[in-house]
Amino acid sequence: MKKSRKTAIVIGVILLIGIYYYVTLPAINIHSTDTWFYIAGLIVFILVFYIIRKRMRPTEIRESKPAKAMLTVLLAVGVVYLIGSILSSPIVNAKKYQKLLKVEKGNFTEDVEEVSFDRVPLLDKDTAEILGDRKMGSMVDMVSQFEADDIYTQINYKERPVRVTPLKYASFIKWITNQSEGIPAYIRIDMASQNTELVKLDQGIKYSTSEYLNRNIYRHLRFRYPTAIFDELSFEIDDKGVPYWVAPVKKFNIGLFGGETVGSVVLCNAVTGECKSYKIEDVPQWVDRAYSADLLVELFDYYGTLKHGFLNSVLGQKDCLKSTDGYNYLAMDDDVWMYTGVTSVNGDQSNVGFVLANQRTMETRYYEVEGATEAAAMESAEGQVQNLKYTATFPLLLNLQGEPTYFIALKDDAGLVKKYALVNVQKYQIVAIGDTVSQCEDNYLDLLYTNGVKETEKDTREVKTIAGKITKIAQAVVDGNSHYYLMLEGSDEIFDVSVADYINVIRYDVGQEVNLEYKEGDTTNTVLSVK
């Protein structure tokens, strides 16, 4: 009877340990802090259970060999963890931390191409969530069972900037009634056109964050890769629209716990649960987020602050640079690049440059462009519409006419985009506002010319003359101005006459002789005089 009781106790303890592991899912890896806390927690649990089981008094604990042994092991675990943390820290490894990220100096106008606004993400994540919720509200057959998850990963899909997020079960009861079929769709939002689609799948998503048991994506990955230390998961789709979970696996380059980068990536098919691990250099091109933006920012801050050692980063701070608060994303070369500004650690109100970091390859470029911080640009944009009390989104960095330019959306209290702003990075007093993107761009270009940032190109075309009878005449309105288009006998050219400049052109008709001075153009010739 006594033996069976002991067996039951042992089985109960093992079950409790198993349940704790099933819930917390620590990686079985000496580089994982969760592992060390798991071990310490187990020792404490067994020690407390032993003390209660033996009904020991505090004085008896000191005399108990098993209790003393467990305390010794617990102390050893704590000492190893503490020493490992110190030896892995930037305090004693400043040079190694500073070299974790390789940063190249880039040329802004060469590296960042001018892109048309139909491929620029005009929305931020918060607005994408609003659009996703609206889309779900219109799906009568699904809205009672599912809701949009809040992941909204930004990716490039068929050369378009989009955000994608899976649906999730609306409640535990809805999971019970629907989990056999899985989640039937995901949401895809074009961040440029604002087109929102609910993409229905032939087979439902069986592995997600809203699953409760073994199909929970974290548990599924842990049981497949028990030693892997995963970074933050992201939801992406491949070129065929198949949903995947992208799970970066951390690599520790300095001591037990320091120098965190990404060593490999596990791709898990969200429908079938099939997993495949890739070395970081072999990750498929369609994957856009192997390195999180937060990790890239942290690595750059090590690079910028530890150039002359740890003490200098705290005391003298000579040549120390750091990233600004916040980041955004740029689409370049079919990859997503994290953008953030760079300022001095002294808290200056201006940037000394900015950084672009590839979220798939960790390639990082630094651009020395002095100008306004993102916060200052946001304040400038809000100042232009202060009577409307719109709030600015975090800027997106663009190349417009060779000028580094912040693009900002202005939202109302409901989170809806109402206006757009363009702020020149180097001369942030140049702020253009528009109800539409094209209007905002036109206003911005006008400001560049009127403020002398850009000069109008000199017209070097040769002035030519032609005479003949008018064979055809047509009238049109261009940008609110009336124009007459003439064709002359013996010529296939079209001659553009501005009515505002040459009012007498309205007196002419087909068959009349005219003498024109003009300059050649691509499609029409610009008339300089009419006789």
Side-chain angles (χ1 to χ4, degrees):
M1 185 71 179
K2 190 174 181 181
K3 186 176 180 181
S4 61
R5 186 180 178 185
K6 286 184 177 180
T7 302
I9 291 172
V10 170
I11 293 173
V13 170
I14 293 174
L15 283 175
L16 287 174
I17 293 172
I19 292 171
Y20 179 75
Y21 177 80
Y22 190 82
V23 173
T24 59
L25 300 173
I28 305 174
N29 191 314
I30 62 170
H31 295 292
S32 171
T33 56
D34 290 341
T35 297
W36 291 89
F37 282 108
Y38 180 68
I39 294 171
L42 284 179
I43 296 171
V44 170
F45 173 79
I46 295 172
L47 177 60
V48 171
F49 181 81
Y50 179 78
I51 293 171
I52 294 174
R53 175 85 171 74
K54 295 293 185 179
R55 298 178 180 178
M56 298 174 66
R57 298 176 181 177
T59 54
E60 295 175 326
I61 296 175
R62 300 172 188 172
E63 303 300 327
S64 172
K65 289 184 178 180
K68 287 171 67 177
M70 284 185 277
L71 285 170
T72 301
V73 174
L74 181 62
L75 179 62
V77 169
V79 170
V80 172
Y81 178 80
L82 180 61
I83 294 174
S85 299
I86 294 173
L87 295 180
S88 304
S89 70
I91 298 174
V92 295
N93 296 284
K95 288 185 178 180
K96 292 181 179 179
Y97 272 87
Q98 201 270 335
K99 293 179 180 179
L100 284 173
L101 185 68
K102 183 180 179 182
V103 180
E104 299 177 353
K105 287 190 177 181
N107 184 297
F108 178 78
T109 54
E110 293 179 1
D111 294 348
V112 183
E113 296 181 356
E114 290 193 53
V115 294
S116 58
F117 275 98
D118 64 347
R119 292 189 179 182
V120 172
L122 307 180
L123 310 176
D124 61 0
K125 183 181 177 182
D126 292 339
T127 308
E129 289 180 357
I130 293 173
L131 294 177
D133 290 341
R134 284 184 175 180
K135 188 66 177 180
M136 281 304 302
S138 67
M139 306 305 294
V140 180
D141 58 330
M142 292 188 188
V143 69
S144 64
Q145 303 297 311
F146 304 94
E147 56 189 37
D149 208 329
D150 59 0
I151 297 173
Y152 289 96
T153 308
Q154 181 159 326
I155 63 172
N156 286 339
Y157 179 67
K158 296 183 178 179
E159 299 184 352
R160 301 289 300 178
V162 304
R163 283 189 183 268
V164 288
T165 192
L167 304 186
K168 65 179 181 180
Y169 301 104
S171 67
F172 178 72
I173 300 299
K174 304 299 171 60
W175 169 73
I176 292 175
T177 56
N178 291 282
Q179 61 94 22
S180 60
E181 298 297 326
I183 296 170
Y186 62 84
I187 293 174
R188 184 174 66 214
I189 302 175
D190 190 309
M191 301 298 285
S193 68
Q194 304 185 31
N195 181 45
T196 305
E197 298 178 77
L198 186 76
V199 182
K200 295 184 178 181
L201 300 166
D202 295 332
Q203 292 182 305
I205 294 174
K206 300 292 200 311
Y207 298 85
S208 70
T209 57
S210 60
E211 291 282 349
Y212 284 89
L213 299 175
N214 284 8
R215 284 186 356 200
N216 177 278
I217 185 59
Y218 298 106
R219 193 163 290 116
H220 178 68
L221 290 170
R222 173 56 63 229
F223 291 162
R224 291 291 300 271
Y225 302 91
T227 62
I229 305 172
F230 292 109
D231 199 357
E232 182 182 353
L233 271 60
S234 62
F235 180 82
E236 297 193 29
I237 56 177
D238 67 8
D239 295 332
K240 296 180 180 179
V242 178
Y244 280 85
W245 292 100
V246 179
V249 179
K250 295 181 181 181
K251 177 183 178 183
F252 294 87
N253 301 277
I254 303 171
L256 273 180
F257 310 116
E260 178 185 324
T261 56
V262 175
S264 61
V265 174
V266 174
L267 300 183
C268 177
N269 187 305
V271 175
T272 66
E274 180 183 357
C275 296
K276 187 173 182 180
S277 178
Y278 295 86
K279 292 181 179 179
I280 187 63
E281 60 269 19
D282 298 328
V283 172
Q285 178 74 34
W286 62 263
V287 174
D288 288 314
R289 188 186 177 279
Y291 293 86
S292 69
D294 289 330
L295 176 58
L296 292 171
V297 167
E298 181 181 41
L299 290 173
F300 179 80
D301 285 343
Y302 288 142
Y303 170 84
T305 58
L306 299 175
K307 292 179 180 178
H308 302 299
F310 180 79
L311 286 179
N312 179 70
S313 70
V314 178
L315 301 176
Q317 298 184 327
K318 178 184 177 183
D319 299 329
C320 287
L321 302 174
K322 66 174 183 178
S323 58
T324 52
D325 294 331
Y327 49 77
N328 214 325
Y329 304 98
L330 283 179
M332 297 194 314
D333 307 323
D334 198 30
D335 280 322
V336 174
W337 294 67
M338 184 277 302
Y339 150 79
T340 187
V342 177
T343 186
S344 73
V345 296
N346 296 320
D348 294 343
Q349 296 301 308
S350 62
N351 283 351
V352 297
F354 55 87
V355 167
L356 294 179
N358 190 309
Q359 290 196 275
R360 180 174 62 87
T361 66
M362 202 173 76
E363 179 185 354
T364 304
R365 303 171 189 170
Y366 172 65
Y367 301 88
E368 290 183 346
V369 180
E370 294 184 2
T373 62
E374 295 88 345
M378 293 165 69
E379 290 176 0
S380 294
E382 290 173 349
Q384 296 292 313
V385 290
Q386 58 183 337
N387 58 312
L388 300 173
K389 297 182 179 180
Y390 291 160
T391 57
T393 60
F394 192 84
L396 180 68
L397 185 71
L398 300 179
N399 177 1
L400 289 181
Q401 297 287 311
E403 289 290 317
T405 304
Y406 289 130
F407 174 77
I408 300 170
L410 295 163
K411 301 193 296 185
D412 62 11
D413 292 338
L416 300 177
V417 176
K418 293 298 184 180
K419 289 181 181 291
Y420 301 95
L422 288 168
V423 183
N424 190 277
V425 172
Q426 294 174 301
K427 296 185 178 180
Y428 59 96
Q429 71 275 15
I430 299 178
V431 183
I433 302 291
D435 293 326
T436 64
V437 174
S438 58
Q439 183 188 62
C440 185
E441 183 181 17
D442 290 341
N443 293 340
Y444 179 70
L445 294 179
D446 288 342
L447 288 172
L448 291 183
Y449 287 109
T450 56
N451 284 274
V453 177
K454 304 291 290 184
E455 294 183 359
T456 305
E457 294 183 5
K458 293 183 178 179
D459 191 347
T460 59
R461 292 177 296 172
E462 180 185 355
V463 177
K464 297 183 178 181
T465 60
I466 188 172
K469 291 182 179 180
I470 299 174
T471 58
K472 187 177 291 187
I473 187 168
Q475 185 181 5
V477 177
V478 180
D479 293 332
N481 297 314
S482 295
H483 288 250
Y484 273 76
Y485 295 95
L486 312 179
M487 293 188 70
L488 304 185
E489 189 176 52
S491 173
D492 293 328
E493 300 289 324
I494 300 174
F495 299 90
D496 179 5
V497 184
S498 171
V499 175
D501 296 330
Y502 308 104
I503 187 63
N504 285 332
V505 72
I506 65 175
R507 302 178 186 276
Y508 289 88
D509 207 343
V510 174
Q512 286 186 258
E513 286 274 353
V514 292
N515 289 290
L516 305 177
E517 287 186 337
Y518 68 94
K519 288 185 177 182
E520 291 182 340
D522 293 332
T523 56
T524 62
N525 298 326
T526 304
V527 174
L528 305 178
S529 69
V530 183
K531 298 179 182 178

